[in-house]
Amino acid sequence: MALAYYPNRLAQYTCFARLFQKRGSLAQSTQSKLTNFENLKALKQNHMGSQLVHCHGVFDVLHAGHLAYFESAKKYGDILIVTLTTDEFVNKGAGRPYFNSSVRANMLAALEIIDYVAISPFPTAVQVIEAIQPHFYVKGPDYQDKSKDHTGGIHDEEKAVNHGGGRLVFTQDAVFSSSTLINQFFQPWNERQERVIRAVQEIGGLETIDQILGQIGRQKVCVMGEPIVDTYVFCEPESISSKSPSISARFLYEENYAGGSLAIANHLCDLTEEVTLTVTRGTENYVTDLLKNKLDSRIHLIAKEIPQTQTPRKTRYISREKAQRMFELTHLGADQWYHHSATEFCQLIKKVNAAHDVTILADFGHGLFEREVLEATSDFQGFIGLNVQTNSSNFGFNPFSKFKKFNYLSVDTREVRVAYHDRFTEPLDLVKRLSREISPFQGACSMTLGSDGSYYFPSQNYQDFYSPAFTDVVIDATGAGDAYFAITSLLVKVNCPSILVPFLGNIYAGLKTKIIGNKAAVTKSQFIKAITAVLK
């Protein structure tokens, strides 16, 4: 039965329900099976003397493989409990999950073989395993070779099962894939996306990407750039003020995130062997707290304090309901080297550069790469990735052309237009000019196009490689360009096939848009899941 013929998701959902009626009768009532996380803790006590069996997954599109999996799992005990990942933590790229958690839970509960269904409010299965303490935690045969689980989640799950006195077991049923069904029948990709997917498959697909990520994992990286404190003040807009034509909003809460070069380092430490972060900072207590609590503990931090200097801080007032920005207040300065000697810092960054395979220069235009420090970068050795940003505080004063040495440049369309004083040239012609003009550096370049994807030009090669974006709903675009820059710098360093640079860069950046501000970094596990979902 070809699901492509069904015009909407409800029809496709109904179609799948019919597929199961032959092997698993649909229960008359599903509501009695639906429970929540808190109630999971009581199941073992409520079923004393019974063997509890637990399965966990996304279960986006139910298929025959799922039914066989549940039937095999039920043979291990008396009570079958199925938990599913909530929508927020399904990190499989654009259009996933295809069905929301409520639909998925009800579909599972309709299967008579299942006794309880709950939506997990956590990113992994560990917490629900600890709550249920099942006698058997059952996974499919594709998890039996634990070395192939790039996320490492199977090891954490096994540890949680063992701690509760249970056993991890595997079924031997045929392996099916919801991602494959969605990609084959539900037509989630447009023509441009499908063209790039075919190109990636032709060069080896997931196998090639796995090898590339292995090479990236052996890189020693240093990141240099301004740290930025991203303060998000969450509000609830109420009305126009009665005394002035301004928005009145009720304060809810405030959070500080590690932005700028801090965010880039947080992204990279889950992908590489070693990350060193070199920054200057002011003496504010809140910056000290941020570096201690919001920077990944695996990062080697070198932070030089500059007296009487403001650490860059951007305060954004956010409507919590839709994560919409209402107003932004900045605390920025770009004159630190006009008041303090940069000699010691220049010596430091040259030493750090010499000790690493890759140097990431993240110039946010807030005064770090000026005067002597800018000149010092001309003496750097090894691979240099560069990102130079244009923003409201440095507009027109921070072109990429001020740097004299780099191997890879990642910028957005606006930044290229500002550098060339060019408002109207088509993006492809604009990036072609960029590629020609940085050719003497032996440099490759990317130009990001926001929701339209990105272009990539390899070093001294005027052929362009384009990839559309692979994301749908954007929660917050802040830091997406930084995420793209971080991953593509490493891809260029290991000389991966050219089409993979914009393709993987866009998937990685798309995952970042699902995160509010820089509250969290994109993990390697999330990245691999998203790639797999696209290519299956």
Side-chain angles (χ1 to χ4, degrees), residues 323-351:
Q324 293 176 325
R325 296 185 189 182
M326 300 166 54
F327 181 73
E328 180 171 307
L329 184 68
T330 62
H331 297 81
L332 303 170
D335 58 352
Q336 62 183 6
W337 302 130
Y338 289 82
H339 303 290
H340 302 277
S341 171
T343 301
E344 182 181 343
F345 188 72
C346 290
Q347 294 172 346
L348 172 64
I349 60 176
K350 289 180 181 179
K351 182 178 179 181

Side-chain angles (χ1 to χ4, degrees), residues 360-371:
I360 301 291
L361 301 181
D363 183 4
F364 293 90
H366 302 316
L368 179 62
F369 295 104
E370 301 289 345
R371 305 185 72 164

Side-chain angles (χ1 to χ4, degrees), residues 378-398:
S378 299
D379 297 326
F380 281 1
Q381 304 300 314
F383 182 90
I384 302 167
L386 173 66
N387 175 237
V388 180
Q389 294 199 10
T390 288
N391 51 56
S392 58
S393 65
N394 66 27
F395 194 83
F397 293 100
N398 201 46

Side-chain angles (χ1 to χ4, degrees), residues 262-280:
L262 309 179
I264 291 174
N266 275 338
H267 288 311
L268 292 177
C269 69
D270 207 35
L271 293 168
T272 62
E273 179 179 334
E274 173 186 306
V275 175
T276 297
L277 173 62
T278 307
V279 299
T280 59

Side-chain angles (χ1 to χ4, degrees), residues 264 267 364 387 389 408 410-412 415 448 450 476-489 505 508-510 512-513 518:
I264 291 174
H267 288 311
F364 293 90
N387 175 237
Q389 294 199 10
Y408 172 63
S410 178
V411 285
D412 67 25
E415 287 150 0
T448 57
D476 189 350
T478 299
D482 301 334
Y484 180 96
F485 166 53
I487 184 63
T488 55
S489 292
Y508 196 80
K512 175 61 196 69
T513 67
N518 283 301

Side-chain angles (χ1 to χ4, degrees), residues 433-444 459-462:
R433 176 182 174 184
L434 175 66
S435 177
R436 288 193 301 269
E437 294 194 6
I438 69 170
S439 184
F441 296 96
Q442 294 186 334
S459 175
Q460 294 185 318
N461 184 337
Y462 299 138

